[in-house]
Amino acid sequence: MKFLMVGIGGGIGAILRYLISAVPLKVSFPVQTFVTNVLGAILIGVVVEVVVGREISENWNLFLKVGICGGFTTFSTFSLETYNLIEKGNTGIALGYAVLSVVLSVVGVFIGRGIVRVA
């Protein structure tokens, strides 16, 4: 059952990630992956805050955190895109992309948890 919950959640997250990546943009900054990583951080912050202090089954926890959030976020793609930017000589863009992605994703977890705490 655990594998099924992760698989179904991962499929949902991957489809959502694909929908964002399908938005056509012609800029040198990888906006779709950046937005996906920040939204994914907010989402996992919301999930963690909702789960804190509540009885939630391990299956639902796996579905939400490992499945949906894991299928949605694109850190491996982020790493490859940063590498590609550096390789193409766009080191400044790569550095800005990496720093903004990491910092705003951590901030996103705070925002996600804060959203739930206020609600």
Side-chain angles (χ1 to χ4, degrees):
M1 186 59 153
K2 293 175 185 175
F3 291 106
L4 185 61
M5 296 300 277
V6 170
I8 292 169
I12 292 167
I15 290 167
L16 293 172
R17 180 179 71 218
Y18 170 74
L19 291 173
I20 291 174
S21 71
V23 174
L25 297 173
K26 294 190 181 202
V27 294
S28 59
F29 189 82
V31 175
Q32 294 95 331
T33 303
F34 178 75
V35 167
T36 300
N37 283 334
V38 174
L39 288 177
I42 292 170
L43 178 61
I44 204 163
V46 167
V47 168
V48 168
E49 191 61 29
V50 167
V51 170
V52 168
R54 293 182 176 83
E55 293 294 323
I56 184 171
S57 74
E58 184 179 3
N59 286 337
W60 280 109
N61 193 34
L62 288 170
F63 173 76
L64 294 169
K65 288 193 331 194
V66 178
I68 292 179
C69 292
F72 180 68
T73 57
T74 56
F75 207 76
S76 59
T77 303
F78 152 79
S79 300
L80 179 60
E81 288 174 343
T82 303
Y83 171 84
N84 289 337
L85 286 167
I86 292 168
E87 190 173 61
K88 290 178 183 174
N90 295 319
T91 307
I93 291 173
L95 181 60
Y97 176 52
V99 170
L100 284 172
S101 292
V102 172
V103 170
L104 291 181
S105 292
V106 172
V107 169
V109 173
F110 283 97
I111 291 170
R113 294 190 76 172
I115 288 169
V116 174
R117 289 179 180 170
V118 171

